[in-house]
Amino acid sequence: MTTARTDFIKMLVAVFLVLVLVLAGVTSWNGRAAVVVLNETGCGLDVLSVNLNGLECSFRDVAPRSSVLCMGHAKGDGYVTVSFGGEGCDHKTVKTDEYANALFGWQGVLLLRADGTLGIAEVPR
């Protein structure tokens, strides 16, 4: 094999490997979910759980007017579900109407209101 041909093949292999790495990085970054939950219930939460189809974050002793961050990758498509409760607050599970895709993830802010409902704002990308 000639030197020019060998160099050309090495270059093609290097370009292919770089493209594979870039594609893997973009796919990994796109599927990332980040959910900020603000506790505006007026009471301390003994337990707060955020579930996004396979991505589950659990928190304990969440003070009033504080926030928590749930980050990771969902394992499938689905809706964001939040479970919470504490002294002075009923234990509730609320399913949002925000549909998250495992490939693209979901990034947003959830506001836990005093009446047990959720305010939702998607973070622009």
Side-chain angles (χ1 to χ4, degrees), residues 13-37:
V13 169
V15 167
F16 175 75
L17 290 176
V18 167
L19 288 174
V20 167
L21 288 174
V22 167
L23 181 62
V26 167
T27 302
S28 175
W29 181 258
N30 275 345
R32 200 164 138 231
V35 181
V36 175
V37 182

